[in-house]
Amino acid sequence: MAATVAAWQASIARRSASQQLALAERIHREQSEPYVIVDIQPDPDAGALVRVVENTGPHVARNVRISCDPPLESGWAPEDDQPDLAQVVQGILARTIPILPPRRRLTFLLDNQERFANTGLPRVYTFTVDADGPEGAVETSEYTLDLDAVKWVLLENRPRKQLEVKLGKIEQAVRALGTDDRPPPPAGARAVRLGRQRPGSASAE
């Protein structure tokens, strides 16, 4: 009986030691791997949405592949000689990033605040990221992004909002004086406009 108990305790000790070793190896591997994140963030200064790819890990990421479900779209249709931003976004996603050093941040223009009036575009996207690190392939990561979560950050919390309000009051005061010689608003006082919204937008021109 005593021998059986001893054998059972030894088995538990070996299993525990094996689990601790596996955990230590996993922690070491994760601490020495690149960690590539994908996000869609508001740029309050420009009134735009940007897609961000950043390596927050301690080592270089190689062969970074990013896919998106559903396909990522921009609400802007091209005007004149402007590129089709939707095609540009898709082209960027389709390309492998050969190398992404630690703390390197890539920012790509996606859309502006009028996107939220476009009912024809998806609100939720899932990004899948694959990359290689110093020890080979890194575990696949997935990020689900809900654009409605950043809507009010972009529309309401702009650093220039108070300036725009003051400029509006000044414009009203100038109009009340009956002069047509008022100066134009400072550059950047309005949201970025790249073209016109695609069909489906409540603010389409």
Side-chain angles (χ1 to χ4, degrees):
M1 181 66 179
T4 301
V5 172
W8 177 71
Q9 291 177 338
S11 175
I12 291 177
R14 287 194 298 271
R15 189 181 307 120
S16 176
S18 177
Q19 291 174 345
Q20 290 179 0
L21 178 60
L23 178 60
E25 289 176 346
R26 180 180 178 86
I27 292 174
H28 174 73
R29 183 175 66 254
E30 290 179 348
Q31 289 178 340
S32 62
E33 287 181 339
Y35 194 76
V36 179
I37 63 172
V38 180
D39 198 6
I40 296 176
Q41 300 176 356
D43 183 348
D45 287 337
L49 282 171
V50 294
R51 181 174 67 90
V52 175
V53 179
E54 183 176 6
N55 179 8
T56 62
H59 288 281
V60 171
R62 300 181 185 277
N63 303 320
V64 180
R65 288 91 65 196
I66 303 172
S67 61
C68 184
D69 182 32
L72 191 61
E73 295 182 67
S74 172
W76 287 106
E79 281 190 352
D80 301 327
D81 59 346
Q82 293 178 352
D84 188 330
L85 196 54
Q87 293 182 1
V88 172
V89 168
Q90 289 298 331
I92 292 172
L93 275 175
R95 299 187 63 178
T96 297
I97 302 175
I99 185 170
L100 195 63
R103 304 302 171 186
R104 176 65 59 84
R105 178 184 177 95
L106 305 178
T107 302
F108 305 95
L109 180 64
L110 175 61
D111 219 324
N112 84 340
Q113 63 190 36
E114 293 186 19
R115 179 191 184 92
F116 297 107
N118 193 329
T119 57
L121 293 176
R123 290 287 201 271
V124 179
Y125 292 97
T126 298
F127 290 96
T128 301
V129 182
D130 289 287
D132 297 328
E135 299 182 9
V138 177
E139 183 177 354
T140 299
S141 299
E142 285 192 355
Y143 305 94
T144 298
L145 305 175
D146 185 350
L147 293 183
D148 285 334
V150 301
K151 176 179 180 179
W152 295 110
V153 174
L154 182 62
L155 297 181
E156 297 296 332
N157 295 332
R158 291 171 291 159
R160 295 180 180 175
K161 182 181 178 182
Q162 293 182 354
L163 175 59
E164 292 174 8
V165 171
K166 292 180 179 179
L167 287 173
K169 292 180 179 179
I170 292 173
E171 184 177 12
Q172 291 177 357
V174 171
R175 285 181 176 177
L177 294 174
T179 176
D180 293 327
D181 297 327
R182 58 185 182 278
R190 298 185 181 274
V192 170
R193 294 189 61 85
L194 303 179
R196 54 186 174 83
Q197 281 286 309
R198 295 181 184 277
S201 172
S203 59
E205 299 176 357

